[in-house]
Amino acid sequence: MTVARDFQEPARCRPDLVIGRDELFGQAGEQLARGGSVLLHGPAGIGKSTVLRALAAECGDTARTVLRCSATESESHLPFLALADLFGLVLDDVSDKLPAAQRTALESALTGRGESTLQRDGLALRLAVLSALRALAAEGPVLIVADDVQWLDPASLELLGFAARRLGDIPVRMLCAVRTDGPEYDRHLRALPPDSLAVRFNPLTRAQVAALLDHRGYTGLQRSTVRDIHRTSGGNPFYALELGRALSENPTPPRPGEPLPVPTSLRALVLSRLEMLSADARRTLLVASAGARPTPALLHAAGRGDAEAEMAQAAALGLLATEAEGPAVRFAHPLISAALYAEAPAQERRDAHRALSTAASDPIERARHLALATTGTDPEVAARLAEAAALARDRGAPSMAASLGLLSARHTPGDSVPPPDERRLTAAEDAITAGELDLARDIARDVLTRATVPADRVRAWITVIDTAGHAMTEVDAVFPQALADAGDDPRLLALIRYQLAWRALLVEGDFDEAREEAARAAALAARGGDRYNELMALSFQAQIETLMGHPDAPATIKRALKEPQDPRVSCHHNGAGYSRFRWLIMSDQLPEARATVTALLREVRRRGSVESEVHFLRGVAETELRSGHCGRALDLARESLMMARDTGIGEVASAVLASLAEASGGQVERALELAREAVDHSEENGDQMYESRGLAALGYAQLVSGDAQGAVRSLRRVRELEHGLGITDPARGRWQGDLAEALVRIGETGEAQDLIDVTRVNALRLGRESVLAVLDRAEALVRAARGEHEAALDRLTSVQDRLAKLGYGLEEARAAFALAQLRTRRPGPTSYDESARLFRRCRALPWLRQVEAAALARPAEAVPAAATAPDGLDGLEGLASMERQVAALVMEGATNREIAARLFISVKTVEATLTRVYRKLGIRSRVDIVRLAAGRRTP
């Protein structure tokens, strides 16, 4: 039973919901599934109603009766209106079950006849609502859904609260949403049963806003524009969608440096109080909205003599924040500033910028305001903007440099030196540094429509190629055109040959060709006197040789590090510094590798190079992972992945590393998902290098999850790809030991030994000590499977010691685990304490769960084999890994708090996991788990 159709969830609500709200949805859904009630709260437009409708649609199926109401401000003065919405359609079903006095009071309140009031019929009405809910619940569970609780009429709200506090164990749940501007929601909780869950809706992140805009079809927006939408909307999804709609409908995008166009709907929403301001106060706020960091002192310098009094007037109207947070003038919401600016006439905007162009103390700000106050071309303004762009670049603000560069080009006359297009291309290169690839690509293609100078055309082609990232097949047609434009100029040819080296590596998978193209590019750049590109080409050549295991790699690194150096190369993600880092980490010099890449990361953050920052974050994370610091590695890998997705830079590579980190220290299911995503994208891009890396991560995650057959399939494919690519250095991917272990698990010991023998030859040739130790660990497993237990034990003991000395904490712990598993074949007690201690030190939670499962299961058959679930759960298909672990501990009699402590998760997560277990197994309690498992045990 339910009420009007117009409350049902629109078809598009659920896709929007999962963008940034899936965790909140899960929390609320689990609370409702347990029979609890939920209050959703947050500011207007934040998405409460969308989530409420989706929750009601999902949870309504489990209720026999769904009662709904949704109030409006204009109707909040009408008494009992919400009560009529809730009970109007079910009154006939319950009225004959109520005592006469209660029935009369309720019918009078709902119909408006009899002039019922809380003062006169208070007790009867209160009891009537409670009795009605009890009567409905006697027929089956009841769900009350109330949106915009802040507009519920006071009488209905008081009656609901009275009943809610007295429901007890009666199966009535409440799902409510209320608008709050801050955390104050306590008074609304009084309308819900005790122990209801309050769920706060926070602003969306930039990546979530981008996904929401993309889902709604606003797909042509540049990343810099999405960034501005996120900032202006304050992460509010409704505001963000309205801004996206306005941009899609506006044929003329805003000029560089200007705020976004604000649609009329939002202007009316946030500026309704603006007409109450004096004209002077409104002009002062316009100057503040035009400034980047307005302060009272800046407003005074811009000619606003009564700024303090006018700001106090605006704060009293709620347009400015009232709390003291330093000297800055802060609008109550970023949208107020944008709407105020959009509402002002063009001449008043220019006047505000002109005043700020002399008042601002920062030269970059002065130049920006001067540009926005000027119409048409002006060589002096253009020169000042170019100087400001260079200053922003030096400060590590490439995004600002790109914006200023475009403003400079806009004001540059066509016959100036340098010409406008040269300044546009510089802005495009700054945009690439800032990670704004869409903007850079658009600038370059615009320049190509009219440029005739070969240097400008080649520079624009290189920008187009750079913005393609690893998807270089998308720009194959660019190379012949670029070569034709370059002619015989060695400097220009060097740029193109360098890009061809990358193409040979990523698309063709041909290391020899890539190495030759990089060497050719270095020679051409040297002949043309271009030291920067010579060093970049040498650095790339060194990286290729390192991956190949080529003996010339150290010598090429030395050439790339030879003076004179260029500071732009030293901290570039494809420069000599990073080449040296790769060589160090592959040579087992972990402390020096960590120091090198950490210094590089610190420098690129100072310079503001987003692309290099993404790369170096991965480098630090990889070093921490190799060192066995899985928690730290996981945090860094997640940060890198978030930044990569936010900018569109290095998404596949970041997904690969995040998968490895998740499988080692996080969630194995997430690791599998990320690895498959990386493989799919690599295949789409024709990138064999990262396809092999994605498959290696997938194989490792499958091994950790206990899927040995899957791991073998994935890692065999890695072997095929790397053989075709000509990669011989086993330290490049370090997958050989995992494949050998997986082969042993499925009984293919002969293939495992062959793999170990072949890999050992290359590891010995290159001096890869950690790889040799891991191979010895795998060989011990082969020997154990063949019955050579004493030899296997001796080998594992030695391997654990060697890995500890090399600093590979996670691999050391894996050796200790294998040693403990092998000792289970001996009579007497077996302890997993050492391996558990080592995995706990590494924060390798997925591995630690395997240890605890093995300790509980104590299998009789020979190990190494995948850690299995405890006896009694083997036949319970459909449970995820975490669910099986929790169920196993329930069988042992552990409390939820004890389970949380042993699995390093929260008590709430344990409760939510058990709810899923109950649902999947069709049971109701912990006792049923034990009974079901006991019934599946073999005698």
Side-chain angles (χ1 to χ4, degrees), residues 693-710:
R693 295 187 66 179
L695 284 166
L698 178 59
Y700 174 66
Q702 288 168 325
L703 182 69
V704 176
S705 71
D707 180 10
Q709 289 282 3

Side-chain angles (χ1 to χ4, degrees), residues 147-230:
D147 199 3
D148 284 319
V149 171
Q150 74 278 1
W151 303 134
L152 258 63
D153 61 277
S156 297
L157 190 64
E158 204 284 328
L159 291 171
L160 279 177
F162 175 87
R165 291 189 293 273
R166 291 163 175 80
L167 287 171
D169 294 331
I170 298 172
V172 176
R173 297 168 294 167
M174 296 182 69
L175 172 60
C176 302
V178 63
R179 180 186 303 179
T180 55
D181 292 325
E184 62 285 343
Y185 56 87
D186 292 354
R187 64 187 182 91
H188 301 291
L189 274 176
R190 289 197 291 271
L192 278 74
D195 300 324
S196 295
L197 175 67
V199 178
R200 169 72 180 174
F201 279 61
N202 291 315
L204 298 181
T205 66
R206 189 196 307 179
Q208 291 165 347
V209 166
L212 179 62
L213 292 167
D214 185 69
H215 170 68
R216 286 298 185 92
Y218 307 131
T219 55
L221 303 174
Q222 296 174 351
R223 293 184 184 277
S224 56
T225 303
V226 173
R227 179 192 62 206
D228 291 341
I229 289 176
H230 177 256

Side-chain angles (χ1 to χ4, degrees), residues 348-409:
E348 289 187 15
R349 296 186 206 171
R350 286 195 290 271
D351 291 343
H353 286 296
R354 188 171 292 107
L356 289 168
S357 69
T358 57
S361 59
D362 185 83
I364 292 177
E365 276 300 291
R366 288 200 300 270
R368 184 178 75 88
H369 289 302
L370 180 61
L372 295 174
T374 304
T375 57
T377 60
D378 187 320
E380 182 180 346
V381 171
R384 285 185 58 181
L385 284 164
E387 292 170 1
L391 181 58
R393 196 176 304 118
D394 291 341
R395 288 182 180 179
S399 180
M400 175 60 73
S403 177
L404 292 167
L406 287 175
L407 284 171
S408 176

Side-chain angles (χ1 to χ4, degrees), residues 302-323:
R304 309 310 304 166
D306 294 328
E308 283 84 357
E310 291 158 354
M311 286 188 297
Q313 182 184 354
L317 293 172
L319 295 168
L320 294 179
T322 55
E323 63 269 24

Side-chain angles (χ1 to χ4, degrees), residues 526-799:
R527 199 168 80 203
D530 186 350
R531 182 62 174 163
Y532 170 81
N533 282 300
E534 179 189 3
L535 291 172
M536 289 295 293
L538 284 171
S539 299
F540 186 42
Q541 181 183 342
Q543 285 192 50
I544 297 169
E545 290 172 349
T546 299
L547 291 172
M548 294 173 69
H550 198 285
D552 290 348
T556 307
I557 291 175
K558 287 182 180 179
R559 287 178 61 200
L561 291 170
K562 188 177 179 181
E563 296 294 340
Q565 281 292 307
D566 187 311
R568 295 173 296 169
V569 178
S570 61
C571 62
H572 194 281
H573 56 276
N574 290 320
Y578 195 68
S579 297
R580 182 170 180 270
F581 161 72
R582 297 289 344 150
W583 184 81
L584 287 167
I585 200 169
M586 292 174 71
S587 302
D588 299 325
Q589 300 182 52
L590 294 181
E592 193 170 352
R594 180 187 292 107
T596 298
V597 73
T598 301
L600 290 169
L601 178 61
R602 188 183 307 116
E603 178 61 17
V604 298
R605 280 177 167 166
R606 187 186 70 80
R607 292 172 175 266
S609 177
V610 175
E611 185 171 8
S612 293
E613 182 176 355
V614 172
H615 277 73
F616 296 155
L617 268 173
R618 287 201 304 269
V620 179
E622 181 182 355
T623 309
E624 297 295 350
L625 193 59
R626 298 284 176 225
S627 303
H629 305 148
C630 297
R632 170 71 172 152
L634 184 59
D635 291 341
L636 290 165
R638 286 173 174 171
E639 182 182 355
S640 172
L641 181 60
M642 183 170 60
M643 185 177 292
R645 287 181 168 167
D646 196 23
T647 60
I649 294 172
E651 293 181 74
V652 172
S654 294
V656 168
L657 186 64
S659 173
L660 292 169
E662 290 283 359
S664 298
Q667 303 172 14
V668 180
E669 292 82 2
R670 178 62 174 155
L672 292 165
E673 177 187 334
L674 287 168
R676 292 188 177 109
E677 173 188 313
V679 172
D680 290 344
H681 288 177
S682 298
E683 289 177 343
E684 290 172 8
N685 296 337
D687 185 345
Q688 296 183 58
M689 278 279 293
Y690 273 96
E691 182 184 354
S692 73
R693 295 187 66 179
L695 284 166
L698 178 59
Y700 174 66
Q702 288 168 325
L703 182 69
V704 176
S705 71
D707 180 10
Q709 289 282 3
V712 168
R713 286 194 299 271
S714 298
L715 297 175
R716 278 175 174 165
R717 177 59 181 151
V718 176
R719 181 172 58 187
E720 293 172 10
L721 283 170
E722 291 205 354
H723 179 74
L725 291 168
I727 298 174
T728 60
D729 191 338
R732 183 256 180 183
R734 299 176 182 269
W735 50 268
Q736 293 85 353
D738 293 334
L739 176 54
E741 182 174 338
L743 286 166
V744 173
R745 290 189 183 191
I746 66 170
E748 297 288 347
T749 55
E751 183 182 345
Q753 188 62 58
D754 290 343
L755 171 66
I756 292 166
D757 293 340
V758 170
T759 307
R760 184 178 281 132
V761 172
N762 288 319
L764 284 168
R765 174 175 61 85
L766 297 166
R768 304 306 194 211
E769 291 297 329
S770 62
V771 174
L772 289 168
V774 169
L775 291 173
D776 284 350
R777 183 182 69 204
E779 189 170 47
L781 302 182
V782 173
R783 291 190 176 189
R786 292 174 175 173
E788 303 172 25
H789 300 296
E790 293 304 322
L793 285 170
D794 291 342
R795 179 67 60 89
L796 284 173
T797 303
S798 170
V799 164

